[in-house]
């Protein structure tokens, strides 16, 4: 059997290095990837995620947020992540307490917050737990030095923070930020923190190799680029279960009354629920 020429191997190696080092070739690779995504159909099993569409793009009132938790807790999920930043005015204090009572029943709760690059110099510096094991060059990671918006202190005590920033220089429809820099620490984004919370992994247990992967103790690896983003197929979102708020409320009511036509949502216990 004829052995392949060393020149072929050398050409392949050099082309690989060129793709890694030359931005124009990286962009060509992404153009090809986008073409593949446009003309391919995702297949496979459903993913362990239930998305509750609240129908809101702004702030969610505390009573509505409490109603969501009351309904979803009927199915005993272990992990709930809320993408809206739950920051309410002082006049809503009583209503926030109603939400707090529901939130305390969630085993693993992640609430959204937002970082900024120019914090108030008089504001106290917030401590955020970063990854212990980090290797690779950090220069391309988005940098922040303060927290812009976050829930109240009472809510922060019973939850984990998830930072929803989508910096224009790294995020688009096929790139999702996994890592940020915060005052010299490498910290997880909302998406990554949600997965870690679901898996029961702490930042001290994960290993981050910037430009290569994020590794978890169970052997799971998430590939990431030098800017800390994950390359995704956005069409795979269709493989998650999607429900409206009204559908959830009806399902919870039927489940509580043990109606014969109640929706079977028992698998939510092992899934991530995203509001």
């Amino acid at each position: 059997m004829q052995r392949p020429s060393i020149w072929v191997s050398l050409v392949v190696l050099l082309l690989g290095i060129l793709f890694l080092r030359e931005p124009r070739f990286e962009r060509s690779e992404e153009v090809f990837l986008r073409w593949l995504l446009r003309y391919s159909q995702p297949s496979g099993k459903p993913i362990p995620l239930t998305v509750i569409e609240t129908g809101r793009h702004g702030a969610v009132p505390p009573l509505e947020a409490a109603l969501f938790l009351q309904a979803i807790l009927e199915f005993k999920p272990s992990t709930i992540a809320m993408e809206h930043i739950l920051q309410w005015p002082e006049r809503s204090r009583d209503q926030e307490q109603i939400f707090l009572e529901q939130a305390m029943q969630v085993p693993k709760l992640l609430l959204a917050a937002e970082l900024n690059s120019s914090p108030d110099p008089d504001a106290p510096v917030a401590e955020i737990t970063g990854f212990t094991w980090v290797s690779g060059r950090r220069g391309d990671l988005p940098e922040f030095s303060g927290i812009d918006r976050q829930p109240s202190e009472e809510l922060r005590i019973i939850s984990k923070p998830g930072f929803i920033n989508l910096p224009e220089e790294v995020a688009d429809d096929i790139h999702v930020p996994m890592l940020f820099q915060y005052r010299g620490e490498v910290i997880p984004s909302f998406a990554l923190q949600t997965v870690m919370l679901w898996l029961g992994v702490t930042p001290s247990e994960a290993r981050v190799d910037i430009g290569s992967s994020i590794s978890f103790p169970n052997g799971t690896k998430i590939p990431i680029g030098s800017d800390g983003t994950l390359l995704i197929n956005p069409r795979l979102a269709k493989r998650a279960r999607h429900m409206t708020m009204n559908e959830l409320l009806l399902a919870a009511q039927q489940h509580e009354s043990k109606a014969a036509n109640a929706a079977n949502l028992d698998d939510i216990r092992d899934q991530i629920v995203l509001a």
Side-chain angles (χ1 to χ4, degrees):
M1 182 175 178
Q2 185 177 3
R3 296 177 61 186
S5 170
I6 188 64
W7 294 107
V8 175
S9 302
L10 184 58
V11 168
V12 171
L13 176 61
L14 290 175
L15 281 175
I17 294 173
L18 195 58
F19 267 97
L20 289 173
R21 300 189 60 169
E22 178 53 59
R24 289 178 300 169
F25 284 105
E26 287 185 3
R27 287 193 292 270
S28 299
E29 190 179 41
E30 290 194 7
V31 168
F32 180 61
L33 174 61
R34 290 180 185 274
W35 180 86
L36 285 177
L37 293 177
R38 180 180 300 175
Y39 294 104
S40 64
Q41 293 296 328
S43 60
K45 299 179 181 179
I47 59 178
L49 173 67
T50 294
V51 181
I52 309 299
E53 305 285 356
T54 63
R56 289 182 176 271
H57 296 287
V60 176
L63 287 182
E64 185 175 324
L67 187 61
F68 156 73
L69 286 186
Q70 183 181 33
I72 199 66
L73 283 170
E74 180 69 26
F75 304 101
K76 297 180 172 58
S78 65
T79 307
I80 298 177
M82 302 189 70
E83 189 179 15
H84 292 290
I85 297 178
L86 305 182
Q87 191 177 57
W88 296 306
E90 187 62 32
R91 64 178 180 272
S92 301
R93 184 71 175 173
D94 292 341
Q95 296 181 6
E96 183 176 344
Q97 288 300 312
I98 298 175
F99 173 82
L100 180 63
E101 291 173 5
Q102 295 291 334
M104 291 176 67
Q105 301 179 51
V106 181
K108 301 176 184 178
L109 178 63
L110 184 133
L111 299 180
E114 191 171 31
L115 300 164
N116 67 17
S117 301
S118 53
D120 182 352
D122 297 325
V125 176
E127 295 293 332
I128 302 176
T129 302
F131 292 99
T132 304
W133 306 96
V134 180
S135 61
R137 182 176 173 272
R138 306 185 183 193
D140 293 335
L141 297 182
E143 292 188 58
F144 301 96
S145 53
I147 297 181
D148 190 20
R149 296 184 296 156
Q150 62 181 341
S152 66
E153 184 177 1
E154 284 183 308
L155 292 178
R156 296 200 302 271
I157 291 174
I158 63 169
S159 65
K160 290 285 187 181
F163 299 104
I164 59 173
N165 299 74
L166 296 173
E168 292 183 1
E169 64 270 20
V170 299
D172 54 36
D173 57 333
I174 64 171
H175 293 92
V176 175
M178 294 285 107
L179 304 173
F180 298 131
Q181 275 200 92
Y182 176 80
R183 294 182 175 269
E185 296 283 338
V186 176
I187 64 172
S189 68
F190 181 94
L192 179 58
Q193 182 64 77
T194 300
V195 172
M196 291 172 61
L197 190 64
W198 177 59
L199 293 174
V201 176
T202 65
S204 63
E205 296 173 316
R207 289 181 176 268
V208 176
D209 184 2
I210 300 172
S212 177
S213 64
I214 302 166
S215 304
F216 297 149
N218 65 357
T220 299
K221 286 191 175 184
I222 299 176
I224 55 170
S226 61
D227 56 3
T229 63
L230 169 67
L231 197 61
I232 66 161
N233 180 352
R235 291 192 176 192
L236 292 179
K238 296 179 180 178
R239 286 167 50 189
R241 177 195 282 124
H242 290 257
M243 301 179 68
T244 65
M245 186 70 168
N246 288 336
E247 289 172 338
L248 171 63
L249 295 176
L250 177 60
Q253 184 180 19
Q254 292 174 338
H255 186 268
E256 186 178 12
S257 62
K258 296 181 172 58
N261 60 340
N264 184 12
L265 301 180
D266 290 338
D267 59 347
I268 279 182
R269 297 184 182 189
D270 302 319
Q271 295 186 356
I272 296 171
V273 176
L274 172 66

